[in-house]
Amino acid sequence: MSDSMRISQTGDMRGNRKDLPEYKTWKNLRDRCNNPLNQDYKYYGGKGIEVCKRWNDFYLFYVDMGCRPTTEHSIDRIAPNKNYSPDNCRWSTWWEQNAPLRRSRIASKYCKITGVTWNKCDRKWHARVTINSCTITLYWGKDFFEA
């Protein structure tokens, strides 16, 4: 639990919650879903993404989500087209959030050789060819020159 705040067994919040990274996360996710003037509203509230009613109260958000594990973690919606709610959110790193969906697009910016990509999750080079809609892995390892 953060040093700047403690929650007693009776549920009292002590300290300045506005200093908590979890509070900033809560405030930001509500703003991007509810405020049409927010620069990211078009990706969240503008697409119908909402914050569950339970999370109108920061304390309940904090109880459900707990402390952010590290500074590398941010809130992640497990199902990206569903709302912010306790059953659809978790703390995860940028790589955890983006690896399944954008792995090849992210990796391809590191190498301009067609078919060769760097996978940051695996920390390995991949060399692949596609023939008749069938992808064949030629190399998967740490040595760029082997790929």
Side-chain angles (χ1 to χ4, degrees):
M1 191 170 300
S2 175
D3 291 338
S4 62
M5 184 175 77
R6 299 280 183 242
I7 299 178
S8 72
Q9 290 179 338
T10 60
D12 295 333
M13 296 180 96
R14 304 199 188 280
N16 188 354
R17 66 181 176 187
K18 290 182 181 180
D19 291 338
L20 292 172
E22 296 84 2
Y23 182 82
K24 292 172 185 166
T25 296
W26 174 78
K27 192 99 167 123
N28 288 338
L29 72 88
R30 292 176 43 77
D31 195 51
R32 64 182 168 249
C33 289
N34 300 324
N35 180 3
L37 299 177
N38 183 297
Q39 66 181 8
D40 293 325
Y41 177 82
K42 62 186 171 191
Y43 305 115
Y44 296 90
K47 289 189 173 183
I49 304 298
E50 298 177 344
V51 180
C52 70
K53 289 183 181 178
R54 175 176 170 80
W55 284 1
N56 285 336
D57 182 331
F58 170 70
Y59 173 75
L60 295 175
F61 169 80
Y62 193 83
V63 166
D64 291 339
M65 291 300 296
C67 293
R68 185 174 67 165
T70 71
T71 57
E72 300 297 315
H73 285 77
S74 63
I75 196 159
D76 176 31
R77 284 177 293 123
I78 298 162
N81 294 323
K82 292 189 177 180
N83 295 332
Y84 284 99
S85 63
D87 60 331
N88 191 42
C89 290
R90 63 184 172 190
W91 295 113
S92 60
T93 65
W94 186 89
W95 288 109
E96 291 167 335
Q97 291 176 33
N98 290 286
L101 302 174
R102 300 182 192 133
R103 182 174 291 165
S104 62
R105 187 178 70 180
I106 292 165
S108 65
K109 76 176 185 182
Y110 294 101
C111 180
K112 300 301 179 195
I113 300 171
T114 303
V116 177
T117 57
W118 171 253
N119 186 305
K120 276 211 164 190
C121 294
D122 297 336
R123 294 178 187 231
K124 294 185 179 179
W125 288 98
H126 296 238
R128 297 180 177 135
V129 294
T130 303
I131 303 170
N132 296 333
S133 324
C134 182
T135 301
I136 301 166
T137 299
L138 302 172
Y139 178 78
W140 183 62
K142 294 194 179 231
D143 188 351
F144 170 77
F145 295 105
E146 290 287 324

